[in-house]
């Protein structure tokens, strides 16, 4: 006897359709799962066996073989439990589901038969839609997440008992008790709009009696009323991470002074340029970067689905009833993080912090405190906007297009450059050089803006502080200009320009070109820095509404290469 159900698993951050094939043969009672399963899948044998028995079904006393196809793809997780259980029940003749070919089955089984939610449902359901499936059955805890994919009829169950029970086979309307048991009380009455008063099932379900005769289920206490279980996507309209007003609770208006740093952060947000703030302790570096998400525009529809899929695959999508993620991610890992935690990894690689920050901000506080080996793995994603992790059997690619925001002290004690009565630096030149050497030249070359954050001298006498609302208004205006300019290109921000597109949309006049050439010669900057200065100048021009890049825009962009200028001065 042979049967087949359809489930899915994660491959990186993408869903992959998996066929769950069941074969029952004569022989010693034994269940084998093949197709490169991990330990969690192999343990599904005991979970499914206990769940089937505890729900009143009969587990076949035969040789049961479960094949997960394609067999050469390594699989992990517990999402196959429901498909395995229903596959065994249908193949053994206890249930009939003729239309199950159209349905994706996802869910983990508890020993009592209840269904537990699993991670990665969003990319799995999206993969099913691409493969032509129109229905999906998931645990109740995953119904809101599954309903985020349009075009799929989403059904949810909390327990295997919500499917027809074998003890009810062949019973007619006259045999039904007037009082419904507590176990069945949550199942609503069937609608009179359906023929024969039958509940609207996604597939015909027939329960076989002990003699092998089938009886069509007519009573609502025996069948799943999917109108009750169906999740309605129209409820998922708000943002998961809160509205823009909630984001603006931490306001740049709380930061006294530092107007030039706020200007730099506005430019960084307007073009998604990498930025590092360097200054003594207590000058507001961390405080200002943590307010950076509040001035960024919300994710558009395609970006929102892309980011939500990554969080779903990583198991970090918690409140799915609020809809897709709309606020840009903000990730701030501790400096003790490993290279695998930052970039992603594992036997079956999972996304790391750089991918969780995709389309948002990755904040590395106290940059020199991170291990140099950890920092060096940032080179590829900063340049290519993707992370490629290779294993013996496959290579996994994760998106990693993020704004890198960093902070650092000028030296290990933090007080280099203080004058007057302020605390003096106690670091030797060798110690300062050792501290700064943790940040390699190639990594620093990939950071567009390097800004000094000195201690404010007269912050009490300054006027009203620039607020997040004012900064966000400027960022949105510049972002709209870029959206119109790049509407026919697969890019959204000035920081993504390269090659012919850079020469076309960020062209320099003769005066600006001569100025930049002289600066490159005097500072000894690389050609990568040359391109990044031009892209930064393009963003400054957009903030001012200028159609072309002027010498003033270029000069301001060069001023933000502060660490490069310090190196030249020390030499």
């Amino acid at each position: 006897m042979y049967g087949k159900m359809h489930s899915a698993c994660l491959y990186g951050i993408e869903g992959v359709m998996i066929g769950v094939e069941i074969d029952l043969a004569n022989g010693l009672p034994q269940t084998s799962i093949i197709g490169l399963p991990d330990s969690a899948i192999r343990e599904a044998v005991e979970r499914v066996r206990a769940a089937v028995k505890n729900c009143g079904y009969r587990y076949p006393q035969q040789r049961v073989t479960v094949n997960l196809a394609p067999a050469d793809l390594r699989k992990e997780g517990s999402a196959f439990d429901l498909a395995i259980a229903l596959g065994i029940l249908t193949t053994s003749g206890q249930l009939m589901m003729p239309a199950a070919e159209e349905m994706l089955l996802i869910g983990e089984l508890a020993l009592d038969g209840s269904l537990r939610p699993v991670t990665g449902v969003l990319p799995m359901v999206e993969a099913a839609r691409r493969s032509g499936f129109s229905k999906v059955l998931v645990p109740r805890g995953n119904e809101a997440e599954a309903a985020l994919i349009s075009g799929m009829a989403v059904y949810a169950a909390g327990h295997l008992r919500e499917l027809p029970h074998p003890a009810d086979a062949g019973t007619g309307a006259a045999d039904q008790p007037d009082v419904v048991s507590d176990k069945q009380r949550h199942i609503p009455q069937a609608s009179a709009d359906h023929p024969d008063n039958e509940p609207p099932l996604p597939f015909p379900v027939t329960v076989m009696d002990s003699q092998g005769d089938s009886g069509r289920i007519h009573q609502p206490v025996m069948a799943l009323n999917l109108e009750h279980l169906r999740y309605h996507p129209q409820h998922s309209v708000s943002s998961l991470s809160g509205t823009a007003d909630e984001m603006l609770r931490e306001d740049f208006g709380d930061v006294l002074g530092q107007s030039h740093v706020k200007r730099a952060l506005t430019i960084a947000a307007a073009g998604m340029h990498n930025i590092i703030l360097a200054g003594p302790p207590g000058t507001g570096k961390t405080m200002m970067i943590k307010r950076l998400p509040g001035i960024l525009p919300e994710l558009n529809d395609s970006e929102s689905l892309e980011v939500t899929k990554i969080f779903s695959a990583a198991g970090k999508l918690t409140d799915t009833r609020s809809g897709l993620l709309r606020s840009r991610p903000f990730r701030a890992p501790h400096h003790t993080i490993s290279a695998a935690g930052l970039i992603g990894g594992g036997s079956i690689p999972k996304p790391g912090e750089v991918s969780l920050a995709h389309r948002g901000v990755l904040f590395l506080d106290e940059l020199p405190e991170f291990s140099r080996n950890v920092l060096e793995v940032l080179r590829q994603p900063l340049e290519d906007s993707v992370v490629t992790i290779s294993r013996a059997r496959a290579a996994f690619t994760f998106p990693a297009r993020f704004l890198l925001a960093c902070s650092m002290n000028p030296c290990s004690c933090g007080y280099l450059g203080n004058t007057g009565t302020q605390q003096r630096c106690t670091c030797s030149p060798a110690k300062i050089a050792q501290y700064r050497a943790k940040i390699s030249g190639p990594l620093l070359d990939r950071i567009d803006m390097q800004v000094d954050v000195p201690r404010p001298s007269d912050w009490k006498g300054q006027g009203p502080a620039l607020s997040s609302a004012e900064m966000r208004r400027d960022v949105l205006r510049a972002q709209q200009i870029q959206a119109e300019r790049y509407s026919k290109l697969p890019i959204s921000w000035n920081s993504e320009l390269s090659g012919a597109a850079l020469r076309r949309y960020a062209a320099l006049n003769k005066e600006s070109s001569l100025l930049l050439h002289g600066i490159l010669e005097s500072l000894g900057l690389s050609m990568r820095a040359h391109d990044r200065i031009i892209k930064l100048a393009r963003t400054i021009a957009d903030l001012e509404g200028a159609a072309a890049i002027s010498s003033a825009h270029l000069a301001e962009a060069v001023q933000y290469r502060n660490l490069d200028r310090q190196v030249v001065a020390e030499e």
Side-chain angles (χ1 to χ4, degrees), residues 30-50:
Q30 180 183 355
T31 302
S32 301
I33 300 181
I34 59 177
L36 294 181
D38 71 344
S39 57
I41 299 175
R42 286 193 292 269
E43 291 169 354
V45 173
E46 302 305 325
R47 291 194 297 272
V48 170
R49 188 196 311 273

Side-chain angles (χ1 to χ4, degrees), residues 519-567:
I519 291 171
L520 290 177
E521 290 295 325
S522 61
L523 297 181
L525 299 180
S526 67
M527 291 307 297
R528 179 187 289 113
H530 168 274
D531 288 353
R532 290 183 178 271
I533 289 174
I534 294 177
K535 289 185 279 188
L536 192 60
R538 177 69 269 175
T539 300
I540 296 172
D542 289 340
L543 282 169
E544 296 184 0
I549 299 173
S550 68
S551 298
H553 302 145
L554 202 61
E556 183 179 358
V558 173
Q559 290 300 310
Y560 293 121
R561 304 292 301 193
N562 186 64
L563 294 180
D564 292 329
R565 290 186 284 114
Q566 285 183 5
V567 170

Side-chain angles (χ1 to χ4, degrees), residues 318-449:
T318 53
D319 185 14
T320 52
R321 288 192 179 275
S322 297
L324 294 172
L325 286 160
R326 290 295 178 183
S327 301
R328 296 190 179 270
F330 182 84
R331 306 295 299 180
H334 192 260
H335 63 261
T336 56
I337 191 172
S338 65
L342 185 64
I343 213 74
S347 57
I348 299 180
K350 296 294 184 184
E353 290 292 333
V354 296
S355 296
L356 293 172
H358 181 60
R359 302 291 182 184
V361 179
L362 177 65
F363 176 35
L364 301 184
D365 199 8
E366 301 297 341
L367 187 65
E369 299 301 325
F370 286 78
S371 166
R372 177 159 180 155
N373 292 335
V374 171
L375 294 179
E376 290 306 299
V377 301
L378 287 172
R379 289 195 197 180
Q380 183 207 4
L382 285 176
E383 198 69 29
D384 302 332
S385 301
V386 294
V387 173
T388 301
I389 301 175
S390 298
R391 292 292 181 264
R393 300 185 64 90
F396 298 80
T397 300
F398 301 127
R401 189 179 296 279
F402 56 89
L403 188 163
L404 177 64
C406 311
S407 70
M408 64 175 288
N409 294 326
C411 63
S412 56
C413 77
Y415 297 101
L416 180 66
N418 276 0
T419 58
T421 59
Q422 297 173 347
Q423 188 170 351
R424 299 295 186 88
C425 175
T426 59
C427 300
S428 65
K431 192 172 183 180
I432 294 173
Q434 182 183 11
Y435 178 77
R436 293 185 176 180
K438 293 183 179 180
I439 307 173
S440 68
L443 177 61
L444 193 61
D445 203 33
R446 288 167 167 82
I447 299 179
D448 307 51
M449 309 180 69

Side-chain angles (χ1 to χ4, degrees), residues 102-384:
E102 306 170 5
M103 174 166 281
L104 175 69
L105 303 172
I106 301 174
E108 176 185 333
L109 282 173
L111 298 185
D112 64 347
S114 58
L115 287 171
R116 291 173 175 160
V118 297
T119 61
V121 166
L122 187 68
M124 294 182 198
V125 176
E126 187 190 34
R129 184 184 64 178
R130 291 197 307 263
S131 300
F133 287 77
S134 58
K135 304 178 181 68
V136 56
L137 178 60
V138 296
R140 290 195 191 281
N142 291 127
E143 59 179 341
E145 182 179 351
L148 296 176
I149 301 298
S150 60
M152 292 290 289
V154 179
Y155 301 92
H159 205 285
L160 274 183
R161 290 197 185 104
E162 294 181 15
L163 293 172
H165 195 275
D168 300 322
T171 54
D175 301 325
Q176 296 305 312
D178 294 333
V179 180
V180 181
S181 67
D182 290 339
K183 179 179 70 177
Q184 301 161 334
R185 192 177 302 279
H186 65 282
I187 302 178
Q189 297 295 313
S191 171
D193 297 333
H194 294 85
D196 299 326
N197 204 34
E198 292 183 12
L201 298 172
F203 44 76
V205 178
T206 305
V207 176
M208 309 300 293
D209 61 19
S210 56
Q211 285 76 36
D213 297 328
S214 62
R216 184 75 176 183
I217 302 302
H218 290 281
Q219 296 305 312
V221 296
M222 304 174 197
L224 179 64
N225 187 332
L226 293 174
E227 289 300 318
H228 169 65
L229 296 176
R230 183 169 180 173
Y231 178 79
H232 298 280
Q234 60 264 31
H235 294 297
S236 57
V237 295
S238 61
S239 167
L240 179 64
S241 296
T243 63
D245 291 335
E246 293 173 335
M247 292 170 55
L248 296 177
R249 288 174 183 171
E250 289 191 340
D251 199 285
F252 273 100
D254 302 330
V255 182
L256 300 177
Q258 307 294 11
S259 57
H260 74 290
V261 184
K262 294 181 182 179
R263 165 70 174 174
L265 289 170
T266 302
I267 297 171
M272 292 297 280
H273 299 285
N274 302 324
I275 185 170
I276 182 169
L277 304 184
T283 55
K285 303 185 298 297
T286 301
M287 184 179 183
M288 286 186 282
I289 290 179
K290 285 186 175 179
R291 283 157 172 73
L292 185 58
I295 65 174
L296 290 171
E298 288 192 344
L299 298 165
N300 60 37
D301 291 342
S302 61
E303 291 174 339
S304 181
L305 179 59
E306 190 177 11
V307 171
T308 308
K309 281 173 56 180
I310 295 173
F311 275 72
S312 176
K316 298 184 181 296
L317 198 59
T318 53
D319 185 14
T320 52
R321 288 192 179 275
S322 297
L324 294 172
L325 286 160
R326 290 295 178 183
S327 301
R328 296 190 179 270
F330 182 84
R331 306 295 299 180
H334 192 260
H335 63 261
T336 56
I337 191 172
S338 65
L342 185 64
I343 213 74
S347 57
I348 299 180
K350 296 294 184 184
E353 290 292 333
V354 296
S355 296
L356 293 172
H358 181 60
R359 302 291 182 184
V361 179
L362 177 65
F363 176 35
L364 301 184
D365 199 8
E366 301 297 341
L367 187 65
E369 299 301 325
F370 286 78
S371 166
R372 177 159 180 155
N373 292 335
V374 171
L375 294 179
E376 290 306 299
V377 301
L378 287 172
R379 289 195 197 180
Q380 183 207 4
L382 285 176
E383 198 69 29
D384 302 332

